Amino acid sequence: MLQIASLVSGYDALAVLHDVSLHVKESEAVAIIGANGAGKTSLVRAIAGLNRAMRGAIAMHGADMTHLPAHARPAHGIASLLENRRLFGEFTIEENLRLAETAGRKLRPGRTKFEWNDVCDLFPIVRERGATRVELLSGGQQQMVAVARCLLLQPDLLILDEPSTGLAPKVVKDILEVLGALRDRGMAILLVEQNVGIAASLTERAYVMSLGRIVHEVAGEEWRNFGTDERLAKAYLGGGREP
Amino acid sequence: MLLGLVSQSLLSGVTNGLIYALVGFGIAAIFRGAHIANVMQGEFSVVGAVVVDVLLVQIGMPYWAAAIIGCLSGAALGALIDVVFIRRLVAQKAPDDSYLLFTIGVSITISAAVLFLFGREGHLLPPIGSGQIFIVLDAVVQEHALWLIGISVILMFALRYFYRRTTLGMRMSAAAIDPDGAATIGIDVRAMRTLTFVLGGVLGAIAGILITPIIPVSYMVGLPLTLKGFSAAILGGLTNPLGAVAGGLVIGILEALVVMQMSSAYKDVVTFSGLILIMIFMPRGLLGRAGRAGG
Ligand SMILES: Nc1ncnc2c1ncn2[C@@H]1O[C@H](COP(=O)(O)OP(=O)(O)OP(=O)(O)O)[C@@H](O)[C@H]1O
Ligand SMILES: [Mg+2]
């Protein structure tokens, strides 16, 4: 579904991603892991269309979107949850969601994946506090709203940049539960995580990034053990960081 | 007699205050939608008024047609400035001060063009309506002043509704609050900025058309209008049409009281001192936090 081939991308003239190739199939949950500065966020921004592709190609459902402007990409079925959520703080929960609903992808009637009510059922806060300004919510609540906003774009692929950062373990658990439920409903997920344990619990496969390149691909048994295998984690993530 | 003096100067304070607010609307719209302090806002008014003057007085078009074309010329100028210049500055990640310099430059250029094409002398537009005069509380009220007050208030509510309730208005705000976040949910950030300048241009032209029966338009009035408009908008919180009206009225009435009590020579000294005090004690403007967000 998502196909990236030999992508070179970065900031202005500075390339920070070198020759990145990866793919995500329908209904597949894939992780991208790597140490600080490995280029994970830069990759998400390139897929979202916020960073220019200098070489290589990005395609979704076989349609090339390498040079498509960012605002035209949700129509191809991607929804990106950027670092720091990027909600509109002075707007209410409902306004944030309606903006995505109206500006995002339009599917033919009857084919809509997430109706307003589905989203309310998944995220009770939308019903309970819909008229509250987003800036007044806790980090965890904001993260929920950010995921809800992505769903209203009717995506086939949900891309998340470190959704667990800065949140309490209990909140992380809630978010993982929601993401797990979405995966089980067939939503493809591309999850950027530094926390290997979290990544392995949600995904079946992972790409390891280092210095702007994909240096390894892990799946199956190896991936399930990745979080607990000190040697592997050290080799790929560098340093003795906590998994 | 005294009642007449007081109500007359209050009325002129309100009228002037709303003139400042009208200019402030466009400044607030562009600051809200593009985060640019637009120093050429007064020139939109000059261009709008000059176009109407040419069409109405020199060509003899009906008023409504001339006014519509005047507004369209403001829209076109706004779009031109964004598409030809601002877009390039944004693409090159220009620092904030370059926008300030750029709009100062455009302001001087337009004022020179108006001097060249239109001459030195000021032109007054005919007032809206039949030029009737009413007496209210011993004060003389021109019919045009009533139109100006009415249209300002309607515009204020219309803008408020536009930003808070319409999809387009909310998209324009969202694109300015967080361009990357807006783009990832499908909002065309570049188009929203162009529309912001179109809106600023139309508001500027409307202000010019309403002001020019009172203040003659000439190559010199753009900058003073911008300054007063900025004062009104800043006082109100800089992004909020309601705030611009509150700010404009405070300045206009303060000026009128100073003129009545002392002399017009002290007008600017006293009002700007008052402004400084308000900004020190209420740095977010008269309407506070709500003034920034509320629209
Ligand atoms: N705005 C920017 N301009 C220029 N270079 C940048 C910019 N943002 C990031 N970089 C560089 O790109 C490289 C990759 O950074 P990136 O943010 O993609 O890493 P990351 O894997 O997301 O790290 P983290 O785990 O800390 O979020 C780094 O070398 C960084 O210095
Ligand atoms: Mg990152």
Side-chain angles (χ1 to χ4, degrees):
Chain A
M1 179 171 52
L2 175 71
Q3 197 86 39
I4 298 179
S6 308
L7 178 69
V8 178
S9 172
Y11 302 86
D12 301 320
L14 173 73
V16 300
L17 297 180
H18 311 280
D19 197 27
V20 169
S21 298
L22 62 80
H23 67 272
V24 181
K25 297 199 202 98
E26 308 271 347
S27 305
E28 198 185 19
V30 178
I32 291 176
I33 57 173
N36 286 110
K40 305 181 297 294
T41 295
S42 307
L43 176 57
V44 170
R45 291 180 57 86
I47 301 173
L50 298 169
N51 288 0
R52 196 169 60 86
M54 298 163 189
R55 239 178 300 139
I58 305 174
M60 185 74 184
H61 295 302
D64 179 67
M65 53 174 210
T66 315
H67 301 293
L68 218 55
H71 67 87
R73 299 197 182 196
H76 287 257
I78 67 166
S80 323
L81 205 171
L82 304 177
E83 229 173 9
N84 306 323
R85 301 182 277 272
R86 319 303 280 268
L87 294 166
F88 308 116
E90 57 197 58
F91 290 172
T92 67
I93 294 182
E94 227 180 281
E95 287 167 343
N96 269 278
L97 299 187
R98 292 286 183 204
L99 271 173
E101 193 185 31
T102 53
R105 187 188 198 186
K106 302 282 177 303
L107 293 174
R108 265 173 281 131
R111 317 223 24 197
T112 310
K113 307 172 139 215
F114 295 94
E115 300 284 356
W116 185 264
N117 281 333
D118 302 333
V119 171
C120 291
D121 293 342
L122 273 168
F123 305 94
I125 190 171
V126 176
R127 255 199 208 109
E128 287 155 15
R129 304 193 59 189
T132 307
R133 284 211 309 278
V134 160
E135 63 196 352
L136 302 176
L137 303 175
S138 72
Q141 292 170 323
Q142 290 191 14
Q143 195 65 268
M144 291 292 186
V145 175
V147 177
R149 183 170 77 165
C150 284
L151 297 186
L152 285 167
L153 296 173
Q154 314 298 340
D156 303 322
L157 171 65
L158 187 55
I159 304 171
L160 306 121
D161 193 351
E162 307 212 35
S164 68
T165 305
L167 301 180
K170 160 83 178 75
V171 181
V172 173
K173 200 177 136 272
D174 292 347
I175 285 172
L176 284 174
E177 224 161 80
V178 170
L179 295 179
L182 290 171
R183 180 199 55 195
D184 297 342
R185 277 171 68 159
M187 169 73 75
I189 291 176
L190 184 61
L191 174 72
V192 167
E193 254 308 332
Q194 286 208 36
N195 185 322
V196 178
I198 289 179
S201 73
L202 193 75
T203 58
E204 55 241 44
R205 195 156 70 76
Y207 294 98
V208 184
M209 283 191 82
S210 173
L211 301 175
R213 295 172 194 278
I214 288 183
V215 291
H216 193 58
E217 198 185 329
V218 248
E221 188 79 7
E222 190 193 4
W223 175 225
R224 274 190 297 283
N225 295 333
F226 207 89
T228 47
D229 189 330
E230 193 113 335
R231 191 182 50 83
L232 276 176
K234 209 167 189 157
Y236 292 120
L237 300 180
R241 287 183 339 94
E242 273 198 319
Chain B
M1 185 61 218
L2 181 64
L3 173 69
L5 191 63
V6 173
S7 51
Q8 193 74 62
S9 70
L10 272 182
L11 175 77
S12 86
V14 168
T15 313
N16 284 334
L18 290 174
I19 287 176
Y20 307 155
L22 280 166
V23 180
F25 285 162
I27 289 172
I30 288 181
F31 191 81
R32 185 189 185 99
H35 291 316
I36 291 173
N38 180 28
V39 184
M40 58 146 300
Q41 185 62 32
E43 307 310 326
F44 283 133
S45 303
V46 170
V47 169
V50 165
V51 167
V52 173
D53 181 78
V54 169
L55 296 177
L56 188 72
V57 180
Q58 301 181 22
I59 296 183
M61 231 181 226
Y63 186 91
W64 61 268
I68 288 175
I69 296 176
C71 292
L72 290 179
S73 67
L77 181 60
L80 184 86
I81 283 177
D82 179 65
V83 173
V84 178
F85 300 106
I86 302 283
R87 195 168 276 190
R88 267 160 233 258
L89 292 175
V90 172
Q92 291 167 15
K93 302 210 165 61
D96 285 351
D97 46 346
S98 53
Y99 295 97
L100 198 62
L101 279 178
F102 167 73
T103 56
I104 292 173
V106 174
S107 154
I108 294 170
T109 308
I110 292 180
S111 127
V114 170
L115 174 64
F116 181 72
L117 299 170
F118 202 60
R120 284 187 176 279
E121 69 280 20
H123 294 237
L124 277 175
L125 284 175
I128 303 181
S130 52
Q132 256 183 300
I133 285 171
F134 307 91
I135 305 292
V136 180
L137 297 174
D138 287 356
V140 179
V141 184
Q142 310 263 3
E143 185 183 343
H144 181 80
L146 298 180
W147 282 102
L148 185 141
I149 293 171
I151 293 174
S152 310
V153 172
I154 290 170
L155 263 184
M156 174 186 82
F157 283 115
L159 282 171
R160 201 174 151 79
Y161 181 84
F162 175 71
Y163 280 123
R164 292 173 71 135
R165 294 278 175 263
T166 69
T167 307
L168 182 61
M170 288 175 56
R171 281 185 198 173
M172 281 163 71
S173 303
I177 294 170
D178 186 341
D180 286 351
T184 54
I185 61 166
I187 294 173
D188 185 345
V189 173
R190 216 167 61 161
M192 291 306 119
R193 200 187 47 242
T194 304
L195 287 180
T196 286
F197 273 87
V198 167
L199 178 65
V202 170
L203 289 171
I206 293 176
I209 297 167
L210 287 173
I211 292 168
T212 305
I214 299 170
I215 303 169
V217 63
S218 74
Y219 72 100
M220 286 197 314
V221 302
L223 190 59
L225 281 181
T226 301
L227 282 180
K228 287 293 169 61
F230 252 109
S231 310
I234 289 175
L235 202 51
L238 203 49
T239 58
N240 183 347
L242 208 66
V245 168
L249 287 177
V250 167
I251 299 170
I253 291 172
L254 210 59
E255 278 179 356
L257 293 178
V258 174
V259 172
M260 185 174 67
Q261 289 298 316
M262 299 186 243
S263 103
S264 61
Y266 296 115
K267 190 174 84 166
D268 286 347
V269 179
V270 175
T271 45
F272 281 103
S273 310
L275 276 188
I276 291 170
L277 285 179
I278 293 178
M279 292 317 292
I280 289 174
F281 292 106
M282 307 167 96
R284 285 175 186 283
L286 287 174
L287 300 192
R289 177 68 182 75
R292 284 216 163 255

